[in-house]
Amino acid sequence: MRIAIASGKGGTGKTTLSVNLAKYSSLHHRTLLADLDVEEPNSGVFIRGKKLAEQEVFRMVPFWEEKKCTLCGKCPYYCRFNAVLRLGEKIVIMPELCHSCYACSELCPVNALPMVADPHGIISHYLSDSLDFVEGRLHIGEEQAPPLIKETVKYTDNLRPAFEMEFWDSPPGTSCPVITATYGADLVILVTEPTPFGLYDLQLAAETMRKIGKQTAIVVNRIGIGNDDVFKYCAEQGLSVWATIPDRREIAELYSRGELIYPEIEEYRKAIDVILQRIKDIEGQLCEK
Amino acid sequence: MREIVIISGKGGTGKTSVAASLAFITGERAVMGDCDVDAADLHLILDPDILERDDFFSGVKAEIDQNTCNGCGKCHEVCRFDAVLIAGSTCRIEPLKCEGCGYCSYVCPVDAIDLKEQNIGECYISRTRAGSYMAHSRLGIGADNSGKLVTRVKRDARSLAEKTKNDYIIIDGSPGIGCPVIASLSGADFALMVTEPTRSGIHDLQRVWELSRNFKIPTGCLINKNDLNHQMSKEIETYLHNNGIRFLGAIPYDTDFHKALSRGQSVIEYNPERWKPFFRELWNKIRE
Amino acid sequence: MKIAFTSSGTDWDAQIDPRFGRTDYLLLYDEDSDKLSAHDNREIHNVGHGAGPKTAEKLYTLKPDVLITGNGPGGNAQNILSRMNVQIYTGASGMTIREAYQAYKDNKLR
């Protein structure tokens, strides 16, 4: 089962939940935690383990072969992302802006723009007790998350033996990176808070998941800081709230020290138990089909 | 006219709450701009009355004219994003996958492919509960943020300030460190960084400082939820001191913020005795 | 020497545009011929990503020796500008083009 953990906004406790779910699950099942928040992967703060492997990831970007170029001026016109510019007699490539569409390269009449590998990011694989942890991390200055997210998912696909449970810590928000990260998931858990901010961003996230056809479950974090509107919304929309987690200062403190929550806080562990049980139920249903 | 931008690096540090509180301190004397376009939340506290609305266009997606298409499939051959589907005798674009590179439109032998500008959101000009004018926006599902929308909101805020002869513009900036943040900071007179004493908070603070320093914008920093980890708070204060960033104060972890928020209020309205003096003090420090 | 300015208008009394990538106009002052020319950059407002490099590309065609602006170019624009032989001066926000030029001459800019 592949479960993506996402949220409409940052700061809802998504990473904390992903890490704790994965660690707890790994006590009984072969489990993977993947950090797909490649611009700012921070679940690694909580996971200490042995590094098993590291893989450089590249993107294909054009390279200007000055000697072959006739300065026809077509390539800056073909590039819609301003990644190919003409400065007088020189063509300049901005790899950060390139979307790797290959248009400039394949349409160049004299083949002066071959595509070459440009360092994009790193995939790291750790083993923490019995939990496999894979992290995708963009190099500083790289602007595009989707290519690395796809590669990280591919890397996890190739790991053997296959995992019983996979938890994917996804980027926050509702744009391209999130859609890429949740694309291959069987189920998406949305973490939210019972405040107007949380509700508003949950609406955006839930709509996005509906648009891409993903089964969704809700976890409401920090109960006590707000009101019931979030629950009313979920009931109206037919969204199932699987668990609620109380707002505890101790949880925030443990988080700030990079420590796991469930060994210390009983309610958190109970919430995780419930979530894992609901996942098993869904798994059962999927198998029956 | 002075522009103050509030940024934070990571989400959830309390940036928007700070912006809303400052809005209530300044009232009519400042124009607000919500550039946090991925999750435009400022309006939830300021409850603006929308006065003007405008469609926002950005980016293109390919569209194949089904009458002109001859089904040759050349578009399918060149598309690197699996966005072209061959359905029977014609080809179709899958909008969610299309990146708008235009390659298909360049190679179509019968000119059946158009690149259509996408209406991805709306821009608004409103009047807030605090008495100030506000420029803000809303992005559609799956739409990509960019410097373009942030710039539009800032421009609207600027025109509002000019029209109402306001001296100050307060911008709730975009989180993160990419293009939208750069656009948020561009042209600012002062940057207020809001951070928290966690590993990721510090890390993002440093990255955001790189940007602000690059632009040579005078910068100050507020540490939110500082009593969660005193050691880290001290670490942050040292970092600020070493980098010439003004330390503007610390806010302890306080449930007032959530309680106020769940009533759609700012802390200034919820508990004025506690918070009005703090934020007034903060505003005075910023104005120096 | 040719001096370029990021501007919100087309003449000496216009305000310096503090931004580079999304500046409305690029003005060029040719000290030798004492001529000020205005170059419209407003189509940049249609650009989502890559505004900085695109404006830098336009600036290149003006062949300036000096660029005077407010906050300065962002990372991507910097990348392109560093390949041109142009000296960049910042700190002119809030000034008119005329004032900015004087400040440059008086060594008051960064």
Side-chain angles (χ1 to χ4, degrees), chain C residues 55-87:
Chain C
T55 301
E57 190 185 45
K58 192 191 207 85
L59 185 73
Y60 183 89
T61 62
L62 303 179
K63 300 218 183 304
D65 302 291
V66 169
L67 169 68
I68 297 178
T69 181
N71 283 131
N76 285 343
Q78 242 337 332
N79 193 330
I80 304 294
L81 291 170
S82 62
R83 297 160 199 258
M84 298 161 46
N85 277 329
V86 62
Q87 276 187 313

Side-chain angles (χ1 to χ4, degrees), chain A residues 111-122:
Chain A
N111 264 324
L113 284 171
M115 297 297 273
V116 299
D118 188 62
H120 181 46
I122 297 194

